[in-house]
mmCIF file of all heavy atoms in Angstrom:
data_model
loop_
_atom_site.group_PDB
_atom_site.id
_atom_site.type_symbol
_atom_site.label_atom_id
_atom_site.label_comp_id
_atom_site.label_asym_id
_atom_site.label_seq_id
_atom_site.Cartn_x
_atom_site.Cartn_y
_atom_site.Cartn_z
ATOM 1 N N CYS A 113 20.617 23.154 8.813
ATOM 2 C CA CYS A 113 20.328 23.329 10.252
ATOM 3 C C CYS A 113 20.832 24.669 10.730
ATOM 4 O O CYS A 113 20.225 25.296 11.603
ATOM 5 C CB CYS A 113 20.917 22.187 11.042
ATOM 6 S SG CYS A 113 19.994 20.750 10.913
ATOM 7 N N LEU A 114 21.982 25.089 10.277
ATOM 8 C CA LEU A 114 22.557 26.398 10.697
ATOM 9 C C LEU A 114 21.561 27.507 10.343
ATOM 10 O O LEU A 114 21.288 28.368 11.216
ATOM 11 C CB LEU A 114 23.902 26.682 9.996
ATOM 12 C CG LEU A 114 24.425 28.054 10.206
ATOM 13 C CD1 LEU A 114 24.689 28.401 11.680
ATOM 14 C CD2 LEU A 114 25.754 28.227 9.353
ATOM 15 N N PHE A 115 21.023 27.475 9.173
ATOM 16 C CA PHE A 115 20.104 28.548 8.783
ATOM 17 C C PHE A 115 18.758 28.379 9.414
ATOM 18 O O PHE A 115 18.044 29.397 9.661
ATOM 19 C CB PHE A 115 20.042 28.704 7.241
ATOM 20 C CG PHE A 115 21.324 29.268 6.723
ATOM 21 C CD1 PHE A 115 22.352 28.422 6.299
ATOM 22 C CD2 PHE A 115 21.559 30.632 6.636
ATOM 23 C CE1 PHE A 115 23.571 28.967 5.800
ATOM 24 C CE2 PHE A 115 22.712 31.107 6.231
ATOM 25 C CZ PHE A 115 23.764 30.340 5.772
ATOM 26 N N TRP A 116 18.346 27.160 9.755
ATOM 27 C CA TRP A 116 17.134 26.921 10.510
ATOM 28 C C TRP A 116 17.346 27.576 11.908
ATOM 29 O O TRP A 116 16.426 28.274 12.395
ATOM 30 C CB TRP A 116 16.925 25.435 10.659
ATOM 31 C CG TRP A 116 15.768 25.090 11.530
ATOM 32 C CD1 TRP A 116 14.462 24.895 11.190
ATOM 33 C CD2 TRP A 116 15.813 24.818 12.935
ATOM 34 N NE1 TRP A 116 13.675 24.600 12.288
ATOM 35 C CE2 TRP A 116 14.477 24.556 13.412
ATOM 36 C CE3 TRP A 116 16.823 24.833 13.890
ATOM 37 C CZ2 TRP A 116 14.154 24.264 14.743
ATOM 38 C CZ3 TRP A 116 16.452 24.556 15.236
ATOM 39 C CH2 TRP A 116 15.205 24.291 15.635
ATOM 40 N N ALA A 117 18.531 27.397 12.483
ATOM 41 C CA ALA A 117 18.808 27.936 13.840
ATOM 42 C C ALA A 117 18.803 29.458 13.785
ATOM 43 O O ALA A 117 18.268 30.163 14.674
ATOM 44 C CB ALA A 117 20.171 27.402 14.313
ATOM 45 N N LEU A 118 19.336 30.020 12.732
ATOM 46 C CA LEU A 118 19.396 31.510 12.599
ATOM 47 C C LEU A 118 17.992 32.091 12.474
ATOM 48 O O LEU A 118 17.735 33.197 12.866
ATOM 49 C CB LEU A 118 20.245 31.919 11.335
ATOM 50 C CG LEU A 118 21.746 31.807 11.570
ATOM 51 C CD1 LEU A 118 22.495 31.858 10.240
ATOM 52 C CD2 LEU A 118 22.222 32.945 12.483
ATOM 53 N N LYS A 119 17.032 31.248 11.981
ATOM 54 C CA LYS A 119 15.682 31.786 11.879
ATOM 55 C C LYS A 119 15.000 31.693 13.248
ATOM 56 O O LYS A 119 14.118 32.443 13.550
ATOM 57 C CB LYS A 119 14.917 30.856 10.875
ATOM 58 C CG LYS A 119 13.495 31.339 10.592
ATOM 59 C CD LYS A 119 12.773 30.412 9.646
ATOM 60 C CE LYS A 119 11.286 30.742 9.580
ATOM 61 N NZ LYS A 119 10.580 29.764 8.766
ATOM 62 N N HIS A 120 15.349 30.690 14.076
ATOM 63 C CA HIS A 120 14.610 30.440 15.315
ATOM 64 C C HIS A 120 15.306 30.982 16.573
ATOM 65 O O HIS A 120 14.684 31.046 17.576
ATOM 66 C CB HIS A 120 14.445 28.917 15.456
ATOM 67 C CG HIS A 120 13.440 28.403 14.530
ATOM 68 N ND1 HIS A 120 13.759 27.914 13.283
ATOM 69 C CD2 HIS A 120 12.104 28.273 14.576
ATOM 70 C CE1 HIS A 120 12.695 27.519 12.578
ATOM 71 N NE2 HIS A 120 11.640 27.744 13.391
ATOM 72 N N PHE A 121 16.547 31.388 16.449
ATOM 73 C CA PHE A 121 17.246 31.894 17.688
ATOM 74 C C PHE A 121 17.981 33.171 17.356
ATOM 75 O O PHE A 121 18.469 33.373 16.227
ATOM 76 C CB PHE A 121 18.325 30.824 18.143
ATOM 77 C CG PHE A 121 17.715 29.570 18.641
ATOM 78 C CD1 PHE A 121 17.552 28.475 17.766
ATOM 79 C CD2 PHE A 121 17.322 29.442 20.000
ATOM 80 C CE1 PHE A 121 16.974 27.304 18.241
ATOM 81 C CE2 PHE A 121 16.681 28.277 20.441
ATOM 82 C CZ PHE A 121 16.571 27.178 19.554
ATOM 83 N N GLU A 122 18.056 34.001 18.376
ATOM 84 C CA GLU A 122 18.684 35.393 18.177
ATOM 85 C C GLU A 122 20.194 35.235 17.970
ATOM 86 O O GLU A 122 20.788 35.935 17.226
ATOM 87 C CB GLU A 122 18.370 36.263 19.305
ATOM 88 C CG GLU A 122 17.047 37.085 19.125
ATOM 89 C CD GLU A 122 16.716 37.915 20.277
ATOM 90 O OE1 GLU A 122 17.701 38.395 20.955
ATOM 91 O OE2 GLU A 122 15.525 38.217 20.476
ATOM 92 N N GLU A 123 20.794 34.363 18.772
ATOM 93 C CA GLU A 123 22.219 34.201 18.633
ATOM 94 C C GLU A 123 22.536 32.761 18.376
ATOM 95 O O GLU A 123 21.991 31.865 18.993
ATOM 96 C CB GLU A 123 22.888 34.574 19.991
ATOM 97 C CG GLU A 123 22.849 36.111 20.226
ATOM 98 C CD GLU A 123 23.576 36.418 21.493
ATOM 99 O OE1 GLU A 123 24.674 35.894 21.768
ATOM 100 O OE2 GLU A 123 23.046 37.356 22.173
ATOM 101 N N VAL A 124 23.425 32.554 17.460
ATOM 102 C CA VAL A 124 23.790 31.164 17.052
ATOM 103 C C VAL A 124 25.362 31.019 17.001
ATOM 104 O O VAL A 124 26.015 31.991 16.562
ATOM 105 C CB VAL A 124 23.197 30.805 15.668
ATOM 106 C CG1 VAL A 124 23.674 29.482 15.161
ATOM 107 C CG2 VAL A 124 21.663 30.889 15.710
ATOM 108 N N VAL A 214 21.776 21.929 18.316
ATOM 109 C CA VAL A 214 21.049 21.601 16.996
ATOM 110 C C VAL A 214 22.002 20.666 16.233
ATOM 111 O O VAL A 214 23.202 20.884 16.112
ATOM 112 C CB VAL A 214 20.859 22.889 16.172
ATOM 113 C CG1 VAL A 214 20.148 22.519 14.845
ATOM 114 C CG2 VAL A 214 20.036 23.955 16.921
ATOM 115 N N HIS A 251 17.823 19.908 19.415
ATOM 116 C CA HIS A 251 16.885 20.048 18.279
ATOM 117 C C HIS A 251 17.392 19.212 17.059
ATOM 118 O O HIS A 251 18.589 19.310 16.706
ATOM 119 C CB HIS A 251 16.811 21.513 17.948
ATOM 120 C CG HIS A 251 16.297 22.431 18.998
ATOM 121 N ND1 HIS A 251 14.991 22.772 19.149
ATOM 122 C CD2 HIS A 251 17.020 23.044 20.022
ATOM 123 C CE1 HIS A 251 14.858 23.535 20.193
ATOM 124 N NE2 HIS A 251 15.991 23.737 20.763
ATOM 125 N N PRO A 253 15.994 19.256 13.536
ATOM 126 C CA PRO A 253 14.936 19.744 12.527
ATOM 127 C C PRO A 253 14.779 18.849 11.319
ATOM 128 O O PRO A 253 13.808 18.934 10.613
ATOM 129 C CB PRO A 253 15.415 21.121 12.169
ATOM 130 C CG PRO A 253 16.771 21.307 12.699
ATOM 131 C CD PRO A 253 16.990 20.302 13.792
ATOM 132 N N MET A 265 13.539 22.506 2.506
ATOM 133 C CA MET A 265 13.767 23.374 3.669
ATOM 134 C C MET A 265 14.776 24.464 3.344
ATOM 135 O O MET A 265 14.628 25.619 3.723
ATOM 136 C CB MET A 265 14.170 22.463 4.803
ATOM 137 C CG MET A 265 14.193 23.117 6.143
ATOM 138 S SD MET A 265 14.605 21.883 7.379
ATOM 139 C CE MET A 265 14.329 22.715 8.802
ATOM 140 N N LEU A 269 14.263 28.421 3.430
ATOM 141 C CA LEU A 269 15.089 29.336 4.235
ATOM 142 C C LEU A 269 15.883 30.328 3.418
ATOM 143 O O LEU A 269 16.646 31.086 3.970
ATOM 144 C CB LEU A 269 16.027 28.488 5.098
ATOM 145 C CG LEU A 269 15.389 27.603 6.225
ATOM 146 C CD1 LEU A 269 16.361 26.585 6.675
ATOM 147 C CD2 LEU A 269 14.961 28.553 7.353
#
Side-chain angles (χ1 to χ4, degrees):
C113 283
L114 170 62
F115 287 94
W116 176 90
L118 283 164
K119 186 182 170 188
H120 290 89
F121 294 93
E122 273 180 27
E123 289 183 42
V124 174
V214 181
H251 299 267
M265 192 176 191
L269 290 164

